[in-house]
Amino acid sequence: MEDNKQQQTEVKNFYGGIYFDRCQMTDIKFQTIVQGDMHVEAEEANPIQNDGEMAEEEQENTSLNNLIFSPSLFATAERLGQLRDLIASALEQLQGKNELFWLHAALDDAEVMNFQTKDVEFINQMQEWFPDSPWLNCSARSIANAISTERNKWLQEGERVKVTNLRASRQQFVKMMQNSHKIDRFIHIAYDGLYKGVMKLKAEFRK
């Protein structure tokens, strides 16, 4: 008789640290608990993006003023926002207001600014977009003088070096500047970073 009882041992199932037999698993209350837990786990694995954060980001892009960039290429607030993000990333790597020259040069070589955008116009746009930057919180004249001074350091045959030629001209400028680290940093910021990023954006916009 005891052997028979042992053969009739209930099959147990484990859930959430508690054992349930088959009858309990078919109970509606148990199934409700399990389904509820599965729903919670799914929400935790796939959190819903906060509507407020999305609205704030959209509002920030909508408020961007375009003073110097091609209106046909950057025809939407979203596109302007993407451009601003690229410039912001480059701006964070600068070590002085004179180095704003490299942002201007990269954007100029990428041909995304209006024809022959002057330094002061470029500065006005940057101050509009990045008022809290330590390199932009002084007078436009002061920044323009710093940019002009930096530009004169990077001339080839009387013209400022193009960021697209900077790597090929590296050895020439290393001899002139005696500072390979500075040149490599500008290649990283202006060419590998901002210029290539903007060119990638242009290609995506034209698809």
Side-chain angles (χ1 to χ4, degrees), residues 18 22 32 36 53 84 88 97 116 157 171 178 186:
I18 303 173
R22 285 180 175 174
T32 302
E53 292 178 358
R84 182 191 181 280
K97 60 186 177 182
Q116 292 185 340
E157 299 180 358
Q171 290 304 319
Q178 298 296 310
F186 292 152

Side-chain angles (χ1 to χ4, degrees), residues 92-109:
E92 289 176 355
Q93 301 175 65
L94 303 188
Q95 296 180 1
K97 60 186 177 182
N98 59 304
E99 295 183 2
L100 288 163
F101 156 72
W102 291 105
L103 305 194
H104 187 285
L107 294 168
D108 190 23
D109 288 351

Side-chain angles (χ1 to χ4, degrees), residues 142-153:
S142 173
I143 299 171
N145 288 338
I147 290 176
S148 179
T149 299
E150 186 70 17
R151 181 182 291 111
N152 290 333
K153 297 177 183 178

Side-chain angles (χ1 to χ4, degrees), residues 43-109:
E43 287 185 342
E44 291 176 350
N46 301 285
I48 299 174
Q49 187 172 358
N50 187 294
D51 291 339
E53 292 178 358
M54 294 176 62
E56 184 178 347
E57 183 177 343
E58 291 176 359
Q59 184 176 3
E60 181 180 352
N61 287 343
T62 303
S63 64
L64 292 177
N65 289 329
N66 181 11
L67 306 177
I68 63 172
F69 297 108
S70 168
S72 59
L73 190 59
F74 300 98
T76 67
E78 181 182 3
R79 289 185 175 186
L80 275 178
Q82 290 175 287
L83 176 62
R84 182 191 181 280
D85 289 344
L86 284 174
I87 297 173
S89 178
L91 183 61
E92 289 176 355
Q93 301 175 65
L94 303 188
Q95 296 180 1
K97 60 186 177 182
N98 59 304
E99 295 183 2
L100 288 163
F101 156 72
W102 291 105
L103 305 194
H104 187 285
L107 294 168
D108 190 23
D109 288 351

Side-chain angles (χ1 to χ4, degrees), residues 110-154:
E111 298 181 347
V112 292
M113 296 190 295
N114 297 329
F115 182 65
Q116 292 185 340
T117 297
K118 298 178 180 179
D119 287 346
V120 68
E121 295 169 332
F122 166 75
I123 294 165
N124 288 340
Q125 179 72 82
M126 295 300 100
Q127 288 180 324
E128 173 85 16
W129 281 7
F130 309 104
D132 297 327
S133 169
W135 316 127
L136 291 161
N137 61 4
C138 49
S139 70
R141 176 179 293 182
S142 173
I143 299 171
N145 288 338
I147 290 176
S148 179
T149 299
E150 186 70 17
R151 181 182 291 111
N152 290 333
K153 297 177 183 178
W154 304 90

